[in-house]
């Protein structure tokens, strides 16, 4: 007797739950449109991920997927599309910066999310202690990382960074929720 019901996703995952080799899950889970709608309902901070190209010029992109990972050692993670120029440069250079945008940073976010060739031409920046580009305006925090590990995450790579340096302010962060920007009240409110 044949069944038209596919095996459960749990059966397909099998040993993947134990973080073994990648499992092919094509056909499981929600479709792409539903995924995007669900993901848009997850409020995220907005950051610009920066590094340098082979010639030393700065490159970067906007990301809403940055998360602290470990205190000992001090690790964070960021998810980048596998076709990203920034991802390839991070792999090549072995370091990157995370510029967490403040509540006034929506234009910077849109600029670094665009396909503009030289995103730093009209953007103030400096080099951090470890060489990563640090944005000068609209930043709540900056973290400078050495590449620790890259893990496969479907159509994205999960980039894990060892935090080597950083600065933060008391400014309110930029938040992205349901395809719109917003911010929190100022600290202490």
């Amino acid at each position: 007797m044949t069944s038209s019901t596919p095996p459960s996703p749990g059966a397909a995952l099998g040993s993947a739950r134990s973080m073994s080799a990648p499992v092919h899950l094509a056909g499981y889970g929600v479709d792409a449109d539903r995924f995007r709608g669900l993901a848009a309902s997850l409020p995220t901070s907005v950051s610009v991920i920066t590094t340098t190209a082979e010639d030393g010029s700065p490159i970067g992109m906007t990301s809403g997927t940055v998360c602290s990972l470990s205190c000992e050692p001090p690790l964070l993670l960021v998810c980048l599309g596998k076709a990203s120029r920034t991802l390839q440069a991070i792999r090549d250079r072995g370091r990157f910066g995370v510029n967490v945008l403040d509540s006034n940073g929506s234009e910077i976010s849109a600029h670094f999310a665009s396909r503009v060739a030289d995103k730093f031409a009209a953007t103030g920046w400096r080099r951090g202690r470890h060489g990563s580009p640090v944005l000068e305006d609209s930043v709540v925090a900056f973290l400078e990382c050495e590449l620790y590990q890259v893990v496969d995450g479907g159509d994205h790579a999960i980039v894990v960074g060892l935090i080597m340096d950083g600065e933060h302010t008391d400014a309110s962060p930029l938040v992205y929720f349901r395809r719109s920007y917003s911010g929190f009240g100022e600290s202490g409110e």
Side-chain angles (χ1 to χ4, degrees), residues 53-115:
E54 189 174 348
D55 65 2
S57 62
I59 61 173
M61 63 177 285
T62 300
S63 176
T65 52
V66 175
C67 179
S68 60
L69 179 60
S70 169
C71 187
E72 189 59 42
L75 301 174
L76 64 74
L77 67 81
V78 60
C79 300
L80 303 174
K82 288 183 177 175
S84 163
R85 265 183 5 129
T86 303
L87 173 61
Q88 187 56 52
I90 289 170
R91 288 179 185 265
D92 293 345
R93 301 289 87 63
R95 66 177 181 267
F96 63 97
V98 176
N99 297 267
V100 182
L101 298 179
D102 73 15
S103 59
N104 297 312
S106 60
E107 288 182 16
I108 292 172
S109 172
H111 179 71
F112 277 88
S114 74
R115 298 201 181 274

Side-chain angles (χ1 to χ4, degrees), residues 165-179:
D165 195 22
E167 303 168 11
H168 65 90
T169 70
D170 291 330
S172 177
L174 182 64
V175 176
Y176 195 69
F177 177 67
R178 295 194 174 148
R179 298 179 180 93

Side-chain angles (χ1 to χ4, degrees), residues 46-50 97-106 108-109 112 120 123-126 133-144 166-174 186:
V46 182
S47 299
V48 173
I49 311 305
T50 59
V98 176
N99 297 267
V100 182
L101 298 179
D102 73 15
S103 59
N104 297 312
S106 60
I108 292 172
S109 172
F112 277 88
F120 287 84
T123 304
W125 66 281
R126 63 178 170 81
V134 179
L135 301 182
E136 292 183 341
D137 296 316
S138 295
V139 175
V140 169
F142 172 75
L143 301 94
E144 199 164 9
E167 303 168 11
H168 65 90
T169 70
D170 291 330
S172 177
L174 182 64
E186 289 302 316

